[in-house]
Amino acid sequence: MLSLTPEYASGYITQAGTANPVVLEARRQELLQRQQPAKIGSLAFLAIGGLLTITIIGAILGIPMLAIAGWVHWKVRGNLKVIDDAYQALVSPPAAAQA
């Protein structure tokens, strides 16, 4: 669940079976909501890890916590970008139609 592929994101958005932009936006929002717990959790663990590194004893737990939370946050930000790119590819008109 940590890495979303563009195929999964576009497939999830188009699973509604319609090209209505309102429905596609609703599916996009559902997919974004699935990423929120990981995003909020990683931010919380970044804060906790930062506070733990104030002391030398706490740094033993704080530094790995910071590293893992940073990695999870980085993956979630990548997933959000994949979702937005897939949505834009679905709602934007094809390049041939613009010419």
Side-chain angles (χ1 to χ4, degrees), residues 61-98:
L61 292 175
I63 292 172
M65 187 181 291
L66 282 172
I68 293 170
W71 178 76
V72 170
H73 190 72
W74 175 67
K75 294 297 271 186
V76 169
R77 287 183 64 191
N79 288 347
L80 295 176
K81 183 173 179 351
V82 166
I83 293 168
D84 287 337
D85 290 345
Y87 176 74
Q88 288 302 321
L90 289 172
V91 296
S92 65
Q98 293 176 355

Side-chain angles (χ1 to χ4, degrees), residues 13 20-30 32 87 91:
I13 293 170
N20 186 347
V22 175
V23 175
L24 295 178
E25 175 63 24
R27 295 291 290 180
R28 176 182 164 267
Q29 289 298 324
E30 288 176 19
L32 290 174
Y87 176 74
V91 296

Side-chain angles (χ1 to χ4, degrees), residues 41-55 58-75:
S42 68
L43 290 175
F45 279 107
L46 280 170
I48 293 168
L51 289 174
L52 282 175
T53 57
I54 293 173
T55 64
I60 295 170
L61 292 175
I63 292 172
M65 187 181 291
L66 282 172
I68 293 170
W71 178 76
V72 170
H73 190 72
W74 175 67
K75 294 297 271 186

